Each structure stands twice: as structure tokens, then as C-alpha cells.
Amino acid sequence: MKSRLIRLATALTAAFALTPALAQEKVLNLYSARHYQTDEALYSNFTRQTGIKINRIEGKEDELVERIRNEGANSPADVFITVDASRLAQADALGLFAPVKSAVLEERIPAHLRDPENNWFAFSTRARVIIYNKMKLKSADVANYEDLAKPALKGKLCSRSGAHPYNVSLGAALIQHWGEAKTEEWARGVVANFARAPKGGDTDQIKAVAVGECDVAVSNTYYLVRLLRSGKAEDRSMMEKVGVVWPNQSSFGTHINISGGGMLKTAPNKDAAVKFLEYLASDEAQAYFANGNNEWPVVKSAVVSNPELKSLGNFKADTLNVGELARTTAQAQKVFDRAGYR
């Protein structure tokens, strides 16, 4: 864990010290599981606008959650941000977040993209799309998530681990739409169609489809856009072989993952925490998510200047409440385990 927690330098420790002088300093102590270089602009711009200095610790989600729990009431952390609703719900279930009363957040962030109790909020989204090899399949062959379990795709499907939160969140959404029994039947069909044992990340699945190791896979959209924007000609050439499908456009819509965060119950700088969360919902910050990290803004008025992201086109997104969906993830993991989707 020590190797993953960076930015915990002497200056940070001093900033966290509870002295009268520093208690008056305008600071925000941020624990972040987002590891994107483009986020640096978000943080520096917030400080420029507000005068509030950000002290940041980065690490893996589980490590940061465990750190906050171990620190208890003495935790210096004000805000925790991470990716995927299941991880935010896990932190919430442990009692780490405090509800935030903010007219700005309630007005700008759609109700289905925040926890029902306003304990945490989504600030960007990524769609979980089906990708296919254009030489092997047609888009109509894989128009819906249901199609991934059809016998016609036996030996043709690649996947990352069924225990990964991105896939577990999709499973949780399917349980909400289909029920547990049908989702387990689907998961067993997916397992039966594997071209190889699950491994790697979403980018690995895209590459496997492009080179013909398998014909179809599932990926978050920002990985696709990253390759489309790549400075390497081989990445862009690879993407010419891959087709993208927005699943379930005639039913409940394409599943979306989120990136989000909330104020911690023990936050020593609550006013700064609320200001930071409200800043993340500003048009300016929302544009950073889209243009810097290829994610969709959650605020409709935000301007997207990312041609590759726009090139994916418009789609119907699933509007299940992310907080309610996240509470089904434990059930989804059990379904996947029984189906052998590991």
C-alpha cells in the first residue's frame, strides 16, 4: 500500500497538523483513486479560483478506503473520489460519507446520477459498449447485451475479469432489469462463449478483437477514444478494424459507469469540501472530464471539444439510479461466481 500512496510528503503532513495557524489556512485534503494526469488541470484551476490549496493522496480504491477507516475520527481527508458506482456505494455502506446539502449539485447533476441521499455524486460517465471485429461480425449480431450469451458466439468472446467493478456494475444493472435468474442464465451463456479465460483490462479486449483473437468484447468508451486519439499510428489503424455498438437502444439503453465522489463524515474542512464538489459540477470542470480524459460530462450545458469522443455519436443511456444500482453489486458478484464468470 505504501508504494501506491503518493504525495504524502513532509509538506502534506505539516498541512494536516492541527495547529491554530494551519486551522485557518484554506485547504482541501483529497483522497483520490483517479490516476489521470489530465486531472492536474482540475486541481490547479480550483486553487486558482478559490485560493484553497489541495493536498492530495492517490492510491487504489481499497487502500484508500481502508486508510480512511483506520484513521477514524482523526482522518484529515475531506473528499474521496473514485471510479464506478459500486466502489462509491461500498464506501457509503461503511458509513464514510456525509450527506451534502447543495442547491448547485442538486440543480446541475441529474437525480439518477447521484446517491438518493446525496451522499455521493457522479461527475462524469463512460458507456459500457459492445465492440466487434468488422471482418467477423455485423453490428446486428451483437445489438444487445443479451446477444453476448447466444450460442452463435461460442468461442468468440473476450472479457476482463467478471470480478472487476465495471463488469459487476453491468451485472447489477441487468439484475435490476431482468431479475437474478435471467441474469445468471445470461452469465452462464457468456462464460460458455469465452474464446479464452478472462484477463487484462478493457484496452486488452479491444486489441484482442482487432487482431482476431476473438470476435467480440465489452469495453468502456473512454478506452476506445484514448486509442482513437493516440499519437501512435498503429493504435489508430487498429481502431479501423473495430466496430462499436450501443447496446439495448430499443429497450433500457446502454449501461454507463461513472466517476464521482463525496464529502467524508469526518471532514475537517467541510466548507472547502462542498466548494470542491460544486466546482466539479461547473461547466469548466466538466469540460476537463470530456476533453482531457474522454469522459462524458454529467452537466448538459458543458461544452465538449473532443472530436473523437463526439465521433462515437449519440445514444440512449440507461437511467437507472446509480445509487440504487450500486446496492445490487454484491448480488451480481454472487451471480457471476455461480456462473463461473471470474
Side-chain angles (χ1 to χ4, degrees):
M1 178 173 73
K2 183 177 179 181
S3 64
R4 297 294 302 177
L5 298 179
I6 62 177
R7 307 210 179 247
L8 187 57
T10 302
L12 181 57
T13 303
F16 286 175
L18 298 179
T19 65
L22 288 177
Q24 298 175 5
E25 185 181 5
K26 296 173 69 176
V27 298
L28 173 82
N29 301 322
L30 174 66
Y31 283 17
S32 174
R34 280 179 61 98
H35 309 295
Y36 309 121
Q37 189 175 3
T38 52
D39 285 356
E40 294 290 343
L42 279 172
Y43 306 138
S44 60
N45 202 53
F46 172 74
T47 298
R48 191 179 306 115
Q49 288 186 18
T50 64
I52 299 173
K53 175 186 176 183
I54 295 180
N55 301 312
R56 186 165 89 254
I57 292 178
E58 293 182 349
K60 289 184 176 180
E61 296 82 4
D62 293 342
E63 294 169 350
L64 292 175
V65 167
E66 188 62 24
R67 182 187 182 98
I68 295 168
R69 293 182 68 190
N70 290 337
E71 290 170 341
N74 296 319
S75 177
D78 295 307
V79 171
F80 173 54
I81 59 176
T82 188
V83 295
D84 201 81
S86 64
R87 288 164 169 159
L88 288 161
Q90 178 188 33
D92 192 23
L94 293 171
L96 301 186
F97 289 131
V100 173
K101 293 183 179 180
S102 167
V104 172
L105 294 174
E106 290 187 14
E107 177 184 352
R108 294 183 66 79
I109 299 179
H112 73 281
L113 292 176
R114 46 188 162 92
D115 173 71
E117 305 300 324
N118 286 345
N119 287 343
W120 51 268
F121 306 83
F123 294 106
S124 64
T125 67
R126 312 94 172 266
R128 198 107 183 107
V129 295
I130 295 173
I131 57 173
Y132 65 96
N133 186 301
K134 292 179 180 178
M135 298 296 292
K136 303 289 187 64
L137 295 174
K138 298 178 181 179
S139 59
D141 297 328
V142 286
N144 303 294
Y145 294 118
E146 295 96 308
D147 295 329
L148 299 176
K150 290 183 176 179
L153 293 182
K154 187 173 181 62
K156 298 180 180 181
L157 174 66
C158 282
S159 177
R160 73 188 301 164
S161 170
H164 193 277
Y166 294 165
N167 284 337
V168 174
S169 288
L170 173 58
L174 297 181
I175 288 174
Q176 298 240 0
H177 290 300
W178 299 341
E180 183 174 325
K182 183 177 177 180
T183 302
E184 183 168 340
E185 180 183 0
W186 173 83
R188 291 183 185 279
V190 167
V191 170
N193 287 342
F194 284 158
R196 52 151 169 80
K199 65 177 181 178
D202 281 10
T203 301
D204 297 300
Q205 315 315 314
I206 299 168
K207 292 180 178 179
V209 169
V211 301
E213 182 180 358
C214 48
D215 295 352
V216 62
V218 178
S219 172
N220 275 0
T221 43
Y222 83 107
Y223 294 102
L224 295 166
V225 181
R226 185 183 296 171
L227 291 170
L228 288 169
R229 299 181 75 180
S230 174
K232 298 179 180 179
E234 57 266 32
D235 287 342
R236 299 192 302 275
S237 176
M238 177 179 65
M239 289 305 299
E240 294 176 2
K241 303 174 183 177
V242 176
V244 180
V245 169
W246 301 108
N248 296 82
Q249 292 301 281
S250 61
S251 57
F252 50 77
T254 299
H255 173 67
I256 57 172
N257 281 310
I258 67 164
S259 179
M263 179 178 72
L264 295 166
K265 190 175 294 184
T266 55
N269 303 292
K270 289 183 169 57
D271 288 344
V274 174
K275 286 182 180 179
F276 180 69
L277 295 174
E278 290 177 342
Y279 165 74
L280 293 181
S282 68
D283 281 2
E284 184 175 31
Q286 288 284 295
Y288 278 119
F289 287 118
N291 304 329
N293 202 49
N294 309 314
E295 302 169 273
W296 275 286
V298 299
V299 177
K300 292 183 178 180
S301 58
V303 177
V304 176
S305 301
N306 184 333
E308 289 78 13
L309 181 61
K310 286 184 174 181
S311 73
L312 295 181
N314 298 320
F315 67 100
K316 175 184 175 182
D318 192 348
T319 57
L320 281 174
N321 179 272
V322 290
E324 295 297 334
L325 180 151
R327 296 185 176 100
T328 321
T329 54
Q331 184 182 2
Q333 186 63 75
K334 291 178 181 178
V335 165
F336 282 4
D337 288 347
R338 289 196 301 267
Y341 191 0
R342 299 184 177 88

